[in-house]
Amino acid sequence: MSCVLGFDVGTRMIGVAVGNLLTLTARPLDVIDVRKGDPDWTKLDRLVREWQPDHLIVGLPLTLDGGEQPMTRTARDFGNRLRKRYGLTPHMCDERNSSQEAARRFADARAAGHRRRRDGQRIDADAAAVILEHWLHGAYEN
């Protein structure tokens, strides 16, 4: 299979995207709730079972100058939990500017009439798709 799942880790929600290693494309998939530091593992288990990914990609939030910040540790911890739960070592991918890119894409889609305001709650999944695209093009292009 050629499937990849990407994650945009937040303290209240985790955006999830699915990508394809053959076409080097990604699309938003879902948003997972986080409560008291724990993601909705039931929902996440279902997505992993359904898509059977070859790789897991976790967005690594860094400062603009490339340094670490408090959310960097949260993302690394989530990656470690994924590894223990699914037996796949996640790839960490610099996610700088992914949220801004996702917001720009959302605004463009709204302006074109393809999205509605209520779709904004899924912007974390859009950010996960941006992260996944960056990883796909960096890891598999050439």
Side-chain angles (χ1 to χ4, degrees), residues 3-10 13-19 26-34 39-41 43-49 51-61 71 74-83 85-86 88-96 98-99 123-135:
C3 180
V4 183
L5 287 179
F7 303 93
D8 178 43
V9 180
M13 287 184 278
I14 297 172
V16 184
V18 61
R27 67 177 176 86
L29 187 60
D30 210 340
V31 177
I32 306 289
D33 289 326
V34 177
D40 181 346
W41 287 111
K43 193 171 185 180
L44 198 49
D45 289 345
R46 182 181 49 78
L47 290 172
V48 170
R49 201 171 37 254
W51 291 96
Q52 299 179 15
D54 295 315
H55 300 283
L56 303 175
I57 313 306
V58 176
L60 189 63
M71 278 305 295
T74 301
R76 288 188 196 282
D77 289 345
F78 178 70
N80 285 331
R81 294 171 81 183
L82 289 175
R83 180 183 47 75
R85 192 169 188 102
Y86 303 116
L88 293 170
T89 300
H91 301 272
M92 305 305 284
C93 179
D94 182 351
E95 69 164 39
R96 281 179 280 182
S98 63
S99 293
I123 201 157
D124 292 313
D126 293 335
V130 171
I131 292 164
L132 198 44
E133 287 172 1
H134 286 275
W135 183 82

Side-chain angles (χ1 to χ4, degrees), residues 62-73:
L62 300 171
T63 61
L64 290 178
D65 65 357
E68 297 209 357
Q69 58 178 319
M71 278 305 295
T72 308
R73 181 176 181 93

